[in-house]
């Protein structure tokens, strides 16, 4: 009954063994000399300047989300390109509609100024 899951169990056990081995070997073989400078918040040895948490402008998040949205949408073009000849005119029409929706969103963002960096 559980025979199909044996390879998954073996892979899981190998992953656990490798993780335990790496953690144990780094603890045993790694350097242990800690100095006050190494225990400071930054390993570079520099004293922290300013607050640890800074406000990030929303513009960074907007640009990141726009990049992710358009990146994911462009990924959908790859499978279409692979089977382009098999789909025929109907597939071309569907991809044209998809591209039109993508283009409308891009023009909307452009007109709203979301792509303008100040």
């Amino acid at each position: 009954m559980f025979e199909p899951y044996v390879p998954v169990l073996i892979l899981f056990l190998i992953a656990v063994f490798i993780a335990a081995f790496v953690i144990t070997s780094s603890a045993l073989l790694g350097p242990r000399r800690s100095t006050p400078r190494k225990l400071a918040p930054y390993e570079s040895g520099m004293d922290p300047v300013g607050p640890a948490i800074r406000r990030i402008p929303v513009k960074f998040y907007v640009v990141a989300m726009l990049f992710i949205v358009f990146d994911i949408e462009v990924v959908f073009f790859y499978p279409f390109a692979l089977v382009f000849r098999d789909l025929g005119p109907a597939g071309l029409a569907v991809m044209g509609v998809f591209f039109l929706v993508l283009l409308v969103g891009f023009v909307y963002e452009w007109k709203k100024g979301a792509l303008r960096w100040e």
Side-chain angles (χ1 to χ4, degrees), residues 79-95:
F80 171 74
L82 291 177
V83 294
F84 174 70
R85 293 184 194 269
D86 299 334
L87 295 177
L92 184 61
V94 169
M95 191 49 70

Side-chain angles (χ1 to χ4, degrees), residues 63-84:
V63 169
M65 286 189 297
L66 292 176
F67 174 75
I68 289 171
V69 166
F70 281 109
D71 193 40
I72 289 172
E73 288 176 347
V74 168
V75 166
F76 286 116
F77 283 118
Y78 183 71
F80 171 74
L82 291 177
V83 294
F84 174 70

Side-chain angles (χ1 to χ4, degrees), residues 30-107:
R32 291 190 185 94
R33 285 178 256 124
S34 60
T35 62
R37 181 170 255 178
K38 283 186 181 178
L39 296 176
Y42 294 98
E43 287 187 6
S44 64
M46 298 183 66
D47 293 328
V49 178
I53 300 175
R54 294 188 181 134
R55 293 186 64 139
I56 298 175
V58 175
K59 186 73 173 175
F60 289 111
Y61 295 113
V62 171
V63 169
M65 286 189 297
L66 292 176
F67 174 75
I68 289 171
V69 166
F70 281 109
D71 193 40
I72 289 172
E73 288 176 347
V74 168
V75 166
F76 286 116
F77 283 118
Y78 183 71
F80 171 74
L82 291 177
V83 294
F84 174 70
R85 293 184 194 269
D86 299 334
L87 295 177
L92 184 61
V94 169
M95 191 49 70
V97 170
F98 177 74
F99 185 73
L100 184 65
V101 170
L102 190 69
L103 187 63
V104 167
F106 181 70
V107 169

